[in-house]
Amino acid sequence: MAVKTLESPLKAAKYKSDLTSDWCPGCGDFGIVNGIQQALAELALPPWETYLFSGVGCSGKTPHYIQVYGSHTLHGRVLPYSLGAKMANPHLTVLAVGGDGDGYGIGSGHFVHAGRRNVDMTYIVFNNEVYGLTKGQASPTLEKGMQPKSLALPHISQAINPLALALACGYTFIARSYAYDPKHLKATIQAAVNHRGMALIDVLQPCPTYNDIHTKEFYAEKLEKEGNEIPRVYYIEETGYDGVVKNSNDVQEVNEKRMNAFNAMYKLEDQVALGTFYKIELDTYDELLGKNLPQLKDAAPIDLKYHDDQMNPTTDLSSALAEIQV
Amino acid sequence: MSGTTDISWMIGGPQGTGVDSSATLFARAMTVAGYWVYGKREYHSNIKGKHSYFQVRVKDVPVHSNTDPVHILSTFEHSTAEIHADEVVPDGAFIYDPRVTDPADLPLPSGVTKFPIEFGKIIEEIAEETGSNPVKLGIMKNTVAVAASAALLGVEIDSIEEALKGIFTGKKAKLVDLNMKAAEKAYAAIKPQAGFGDFVYKLEKPSNPPKSKSRLLVNGATATGLGKVKAGCRYQTYYSITPAVDECIYLEQHPEFGIVVFQCEDELSAINMAIGAATTGIRSSTSTSGPGFCLMSEGIGWAGINEVPMVVFNYQRGGPSTGLPTRNEQGELLFAIHAGHGDYPKIVMAPGDMHECFEDAFNAFNFAERYQTPVIVLPDKALANNTQSIEPFEEASLKVDRGQIEGVDPNYKEGDLEAGIQQFPRFKITDSGISPRVLPGTPGKIFWTTGDEHTEFGHITEKPEIRIPMHEKRMKKLDLAAKEIPQDLQYKLFGSEQADLTMVAWGSTKGAILDAMDVLKKEHNITINFLQIRMMSPFPSEGVGAILKKAKKVACIESNLSGQLAQLVRMRTSFEIPHQILKYTGRPISETEIVASALDVVKKDEKKVVLTYGR
């Protein structure tokens, strides 16, 4: 379903609400909010047709700072809310945001199944490896053996790999970005929104209060490789990597790209790769729905009328009643 | 011709052998013949093998419940014979397959007439005549059992043919002829048998048969589905659960209505997807049963604080936990009215029959939008699965009510955005408690929602001076609903104002009470009136309290252990109902049981009667 854009685009400042955020100074969330506002402005999306959902946690407050339809839902349930809204009204541009605990922990069941449906929406996960709002407990992305200062003991559970999980679940756009790389973040959000299908952006987001390991400084560090100085963070596409499937009907290409993506997602290195690991164009949920339900071939569920101007219901039950008339 | 006008027929068998289909055929044939039917479906939480049965009551006037005694027990395998033989009345009939059952081994009352039918032989003959595989035709034993029963009742075979034509339509139409062969052979086998002419429960011809196609043969799940369709529901989520799934499957089987029926990964998703959809302005609902409803309660609270109109159908079954997953209970009343933490308004209603399933499903969406709050509807398993012949649904008087929705601001000009986007006070404090809505997509306007307490624009606040009016505003909507919703949707009093006993009840027990009222009057000269409570929240305290205070003697009848409606009545009216009639076996309450327990209360002044009948 095509999304409308504004004839005269608004400046990014117009996508800022009048609320001041209450995040800790230095929080990576600021960078992400900025990235979303910039991307929405460049995409020229009408604020009243753009619907931003969030879960619960520090990141859950994000919609309140952005001047579009905003819904701060329940812990772990951001995807069901977003999916429901987009399926009901595909004219809306739907984005979801949430923390790693929200999406990969309490909401992990929804994360898995959202991948199966290819609803046309974007999910941005703020990944800081801790539950910030409850004072720094381990999130599902905190690696085994790590002990940020908020933990009493070293962490002894394994971390999940959100990109690989997304690949296994069927997400059709899978990317990683970084909260303090505004250009990359903005461009990745734009690409995800423009992608027809279910997009995931896992955003590395330093938590200055509870995660003293993966800090802003950590990501800014220079490393040494064979006598050369290299950055901690690099762009995977600059290494010649191409995760975009050109022909989704080409089984061999799809397989190859999928395995390449899986290798890239699990690559053991001190560096951190940003970029689009996998992307494929497949039928979206509403396109498939139109094949099953004749009324939805050229219309969205929200468009279907069910009463006249006098508020009389217009649905004719006679065909269904005929089955049970005796 | 002498005979009867009220019989009870039973068929049973291992699950997966066509018990439901044969009961449908029987009920349909009897309806075609001009009678009224009520059918009770009982089954295990099992796919194949365990015992299930269907009991159909046939009368020449509208019937709303079952009775306990069985006049004809129709079997084609041994387990049904074993389990139900002692339920047959002494002058009743027993149809059986002599190859698998020896009536001498059964606890049949001595006067029962036994009708052996060679089911296997009939199937083999048809296979030979038509060149078919006899194994594949095995399912037609059901048709034989039904037709043999119809023959015994004196119902013409034309009714069987007409019913088969109604069931086998389209590509399956060729099955009519095949099944008619089975029916003819069953009629031929029954008629010459000893005892056929003396069978006392032959049905009298209906005195005033309704016109063909003038009635519906329907269960509560279908009636609800149709009500939702009529209301304009466009989005229904579910996670598979008995018995709620029947309604969802019904909607899925009718893609022509354009309802997105979405099977979720769990009930957390089901409720929250339905709410997410509802925030766009679409009419949205979910259907579930006890365990699923438990998982949904957090989401319902979010819809409450954000004033999202949405509808939840909770088909009650035996609890707690997995409980009796395929059996009837009314054990979720107090849970439903208190579902979710904190105080927020919810409308909770309980339909009592097929018409009310349809009506409540339609009205639920209107109430949800008018009062901008979740509506919970509480049918029970008996309503969902039992089948009844009824007059058509009343559609002509229905009106859609979408509540207060604001459209585009007349001053809005496209392109004039630099002036700013209007932040809409979605949660404006008003005297009525209702704040006008705008829907996403309305040019120029936006607002926020949050599960936190919030300002008029939907931003988080913890300020007492906002918390107090906002919290009160939401709750006020219930007072408004109580005032505006018509009284007969809140409660109904059946029978005369003065009565020997006032029965208070809700949900599917309605039918048994209505039927029992007649019997108690005619056979025992006891006058009953019946107070049916339909609206559980807001509770019609004044009206119900006034009726109860005037009553001579009051009993509350419920399918649960703790008398939940009686507790609610006491909480809302301070009236302590002195007599309780309770059943918690998971089987629905019958007319027979209501008659007996009413006598216990009226004549012996029993304070508590616990009902136990049914396999």
Side-chain angles (χ1 to χ4, degrees):
Chain A
M1 206 82 24
V3 165
K4 271 186 264 172
T5 53
L6 293 168
E7 280 175 28
S8 41
L10 295 164
K11 292 201 177 78
K14 288 285 174 191
Y15 290 90
K16 285 193 170 89
S17 81
D18 46 4
L19 245 61
T20 316
S21 90
D22 60 4
W23 290 320
C24 305
C27 180
D29 292 0
F30 290 104
I32 305 178
V33 164
N34 243 335
I36 295 172
Q37 288 162 342
Q38 301 273 348
L40 297 179
E42 295 207 5
L43 288 161
L45 292 171
W48 52 90
E49 283 175 7
T50 306
Y51 206 161
L52 176 62
F53 288 87
S54 67
V56 162
C58 294
S59 61
K61 296 176 180 173
T62 304
H64 294 286
Y65 310 134
I66 298 180
Q67 185 93 335
V68 298
Y69 258 96
S71 189
H72 179 192
T73 72
L74 290 168
H75 196 26
R77 313 297 161 226
V78 63
L79 284 175
Y81 281 87
S82 318
L83 293 168
K86 180 69 184 183
M87 285 163 67
N89 186 352
H91 305 303
L92 303 171
T93 298
V94 173
L95 294 97
V97 299
D100 39 305
D102 196 79
Y104 308 143
I106 187 170
S108 52
H110 309 313
F111 182 83
V112 166
H113 294 275
R116 295 169 49 216
R117 292 157 184 159
N118 207 31
V119 173
D120 183 12
M121 62 164 282
T122 300
Y123 183 29
I124 303 168
V125 179
F126 298 24
N127 183 354
N128 61 13
E129 303 163 328
V130 289
Y131 284 84
L133 207 50
T134 50
K135 309 209 184 311
Q137 299 75 33
S139 94
T141 50
L142 186 69
E143 271 170 34
K144 191 174 169 183
M146 281 176 57
Q147 188 182 9
K149 66 181 179 188
S150 54
L151 260 65
L153 298 166
H155 191 47
I156 53 174
S157 294
Q158 290 203 51
I160 63 154
N161 183 325
L163 302 185
L165 181 60
L167 185 66
C169 298
Y171 283 72
T172 52
F173 179 104
I174 304 168
R176 183 191 286 139
S177 190
Y178 173 48
Y180 283 117
D181 187 340
K183 259 177 81 179
H184 186 264
L185 184 56
K186 182 191 73 180
T188 309
I189 296 171
Q190 274 182 262
V193 172
N194 282 331
H195 171 71
R196 281 176 50 255
M198 187 74 203
L200 170 73
I201 312 172
D202 183 73
V203 184
L204 304 172
Q205 174 248 319
C207 171
T209 306
Y210 295 112
N211 189 339
D212 55 348
I213 300 170
H214 290 149
T215 59
K216 196 174 172 184
E217 292 70 33
F218 167 85
Y219 289 112
E221 256 173 14
K222 300 288 178 204
L223 306 174
E224 204 215 273
K225 192 182 178 187
E226 295 157 7
N228 297 320
E229 199 179 59
I230 55 164
R232 169 82 69 187
V233 173
Y234 70 100
Y235 304 114
I236 196 168
E237 286 91 346
E238 289 182 0
T239 65
Y241 178 86
D242 179 8
V244 181
V245 174
K246 306 291 177 295
N247 176 4
S248 61
N249 295 318
D250 182 342
V251 179
Q252 203 178 334
E253 189 203 353
V254 172
N255 230 358
E256 217 166 83
K257 288 271 159 70
R258 214 186 263 153
M259 293 321 291
N260 288 347
F262 198 69
N263 283 329
M265 289 163 179
Y266 269 106
K267 191 171 178 192
L268 286 175
E269 57 182 351
D270 292 330
Q271 279 186 292
V272 177
L274 305 183
T276 304
F277 286 73
Y278 187 71
K279 177 172 155 48
I280 184 168
E281 292 272 338
L282 296 173
D283 285 344
T284 60
Y285 191 83
D286 61 309
E287 287 163 354
L288 294 169
L289 204 55
K291 291 180 185 169
N292 271 355
L293 306 183
Q295 290 193 53
L296 295 182
K297 196 165 162 277
D298 303 304
I302 191 90
D303 301 331
L304 302 181
K305 296 275 177 282
Y306 52 89
H307 61 80
D308 61 18
D309 292 344
Q310 279 75 50
M311 305 311 278
N312 298 304
T314 49
T315 308
D316 179 10
L317 297 181
S318 51
S319 65
L321 289 175
E323 295 166 11
I324 53 171
Q325 260 155 5
V326 180
Chain B
M1 180 184 124
S2 73
T4 182
T5 54
D6 184 358
I7 70 105
S8 179
W9 171 87
M10 187 190 280
I11 194 159
Q15 282 174 193
T17 57
V19 172
D20 277 5
S21 318
S22 51
T24 305
L25 175 61
F26 182 79
R28 202 164 178 125
M30 293 301 133
T31 311
V32 166
Y35 301 101
W36 297 80
V37 298
Y38 186 89
K40 171 178 83 166
R41 178 180 168 215
E42 286 297 333
Y43 53 101
H44 277 85
S45 179
N46 152 270
I47 298 171
K48 283 191 177 173
K50 282 208 171 178
H51 176 65
S52 71
Y53 70 96
F54 217 120
Q55 192 170 350
V56 182
R57 186 178 180 191
V58 185
K59 274 187 97 161
D60 70 341
V61 290
V63 57
H64 316 88
S65 64
N66 285 107
T67 47
D68 293 339
V70 175
H71 302 106
I72 300 178
L73 176 60
S74 188
T75 69
F76 52 83
E77 49 74 52
H78 193 59
S79 67
T80 304
E82 254 182 332
I83 295 169
H84 297 285
D86 65 348
E87 294 184 87
V88 184
V89 295
D91 45 5
F94 174 58
I95 296 169
Y96 67 103
D97 184 349
R99 284 194 198 173
V100 295
T101 298
D102 180 356
D105 300 339
L106 299 172
L108 278 170
S110 61
V112 171
T113 314
K114 301 163 196 79
F115 293 95
I117 297 274
E118 294 277 359
F119 285 86
K121 208 176 122 211
I122 291 178
I123 298 298
E124 282 151 22
E125 280 171 17
I126 298 171
E128 208 178 295
E129 287 165 25
T130 57
S132 317
N133 179 348
V135 178
K136 282 190 179 162
L137 297 184
I139 194 81
M140 287 200 319
K141 285 181 183 175
N142 288 286
T143 309
V144 176
V146 167
S149 309
L152 204 49
L153 289 166
V155 171
E156 300 294 333
I157 198 166
D158 308 7
S159 298
I160 300 275
E161 187 167 12
E162 193 60 32
L164 285 168
K165 282 179 182 163
I167 291 167
F168 297 118
T169 54
K171 282 181 193 164
K172 290 184 173 174
K174 58 177 188 284
L175 295 173
V176 173
D177 285 350
L178 205 58
N179 278 276
M180 273 311 287
K181 280 189 195 298
E184 280 157 11
K185 288 182 192 293
Y187 269 73
I190 276 283
K191 285 192 169 173
Q193 291 206 30
F196 173 75
D198 305 327
F199 181 59
V200 295
Y201 292 101
K202 284 219 179 329
L203 279 168
E204 273 184 28
K205 290 265 178 286
S207 47
N208 191 16
K211 269 197 272 174
S212 170
K213 306 279 181 197
S214 68
R215 290 173 296 163
L216 305 176
L217 187 60
V218 70
N219 63 33
T222 300
T224 300
L226 287 165
K228 286 187 175 182
V229 173
K230 193 71 187 176
C233 175
R234 290 278 171 248
Y235 192 79
Q236 159 111 350
T237 60
Y238 76 100
Y239 181 79
S240 309
I241 191 165
T242 304
V245 73
D246 291 359
E247 179 213 312
C248 306
I249 292 170
Y250 178 76
L251 293 174
E252 273 176 347
Q253 286 169 339
H254 291 82
E256 70 275 17
F257 289 126
I259 301 183
V260 179
V261 184
F262 191 80
Q263 187 193 346
C264 299
E265 61 272 19
D266 53 36
E267 283 95 350
L268 303 170
S269 187
I271 185 72
N272 293 308
M273 284 183 86
I275 299 168
T279 64
T280 69
I282 206 165
R283 288 195 150 188
S284 158
S285 78
T286 187
S287 285
T288 189
S289 297
F293 188 70
C294 285
L295 291 178
M296 290 184 175
S297 56
E298 188 193 21
I300 301 171
W302 194 93
I305 197 171
N306 285 296
E307 310 195 36
V308 181
M310 60 92 52
V311 174
V312 183
F313 265 75
N314 178 31
Y315 289 85
Q316 302 165 91
R317 63 187 222 187
S321 190
T322 308
L324 300 167
T326 60
R327 309 292 178 175
N328 186 55
E329 195 162 276
Q330 300 175 313
E332 291 157 43
L333 174 57
L334 295 178
F335 176 48
I337 62 171
H338 295 125
H341 53 288
D343 291 314
Y344 66 94
K346 45 182 118 55
I347 291 173
V348 181
M349 20 195 219
D353 58 32
M354 305 303 158
H355 283 105
E356 289 173 5
C357 282
F358 180 82
E359 191 179 27
D360 285 2
F362 185 88
N363 286 333
F365 293 90
N366 281 352
F367 296 160
E369 290 207 294
R370 186 171 183 84
Y371 305 108
Q372 302 177 8
T373 207
V375 175
I376 298 166
V377 187
L378 286 177
D380 50 46
K381 178 260 169 181
L383 263 184
N385 287 161
N386 290 0
T387 300
Q388 194 178 356
S389 55
I390 58 167
E391 299 282 1
F393 298 123
E394 172 57 45
E395 291 183 62
S397 61
L398 299 174
K399 286 271 183 190
V400 171
D401 182 355
R402 299 220 53 198
Q404 293 184 39
I405 299 178
E406 281 189 13
V408 191
D409 193 324
N411 298 320
Y412 169 79
K413 279 192 225 101
E414 197 156 348
D416 186 22
L417 294 167
E418 287 302 310
I421 294 135
Q422 192 196 336
Q423 296 187 0
F424 183 78
R426 166 70 189 94
F427 305 105
K428 197 173 167 54
I429 306 287
T430 60
D431 289 341
S432 66
I434 309 268
S435 323
R437 285 196 288 160
V438 295
L439 305 177
T442 309
K445 293 177 189 175
I446 61 156
F447 65 85
W448 290 268
T449 46
T450 172
D452 288 60
E453 188 54 276
H454 41 248
T455 64
E456 291 188 324
F457 296 95
H459 284 312
I460 300 169
T461 184
E462 297 184 12
K463 286 183 181 162
E465 60 269 32
I466 299 177
R467 162 70 169 181
I468 294 168
M470 194 58 78
H471 209 23
E472 289 176 353
K473 166 199 119 67
R474 284 190 296 266
M475 218 55 179
K476 263 189 209 168
K477 297 186 291 184
L478 272 193
D479 298 335
L480 188 66
K483 262 186 241 143
E484 291 184 344
I485 294 174
Q487 186 201 296
D488 67 339
L489 297 182
Q490 300 197 36
Y491 64 90
K492 281 184 189 167
L493 185 68
F494 296 87
S496 57
E497 279 215 4
Q498 288 303 308
D500 299 317
L501 176 65
T502 297
M503 290 192 152
V504 185
W506 63 293
S508 65
T509 48
K510 177 183 180 180
I513 296 173
L514 287 177
D515 287 343
M517 282 165 73
D518 292 343
V519 179
L520 284 158
K521 185 72 206 165
K522 273 184 211 149
E523 296 179 12
H524 304 278
N525 199 29
I526 290 173
T527 316
I528 305 282
N529 61 12
F530 164 39
L531 175 60
Q532 181 201 4
I533 300 182
R534 296 181 66 179
M535 188 63 73
M536 302 302 178
S537 169
F539 193 83
S541 308
E542 230 172 273
V544 167
I547 291 169
L548 295 181
K549 275 168 203 137
K550 276 190 282 181
K552 197 167 152 190
K553 199 165 205 172
V554 184
C556 195
I557 298 101
E558 301 184 64
S559 291
N560 62 52
L561 175 76
S562 64
Q564 297 194 10
L565 179 61
Q567 292 184 53
L568 183 61
V569 167
R570 186 172 58 192
M571 188 167 100
R572 294 295 186 191
T573 67
S574 305
F575 186 92
E576 172 111 34
I577 299 180
H579 301 274
Q580 288 199 308
I581 298 166
L582 301 172
K583 186 169 186 177
Y584 37 89
T585 59
R587 274 60 173 178
I589 297 174
S590 66
E591 176 197 293
T592 318
E593 287 178 307
I594 299 281
V595 171
S597 54
L599 291 173
D600 286 345
V601 171
V602 173
K603 297 205 163 155
K604 298 187 218 154
D605 203 34
E606 295 274 359
K607 293 291 175 224
K608 187 171 172 181
V609 183
V610 175
L611 308 173
T612 57
Y613 196 84
R615 303 286 143 84

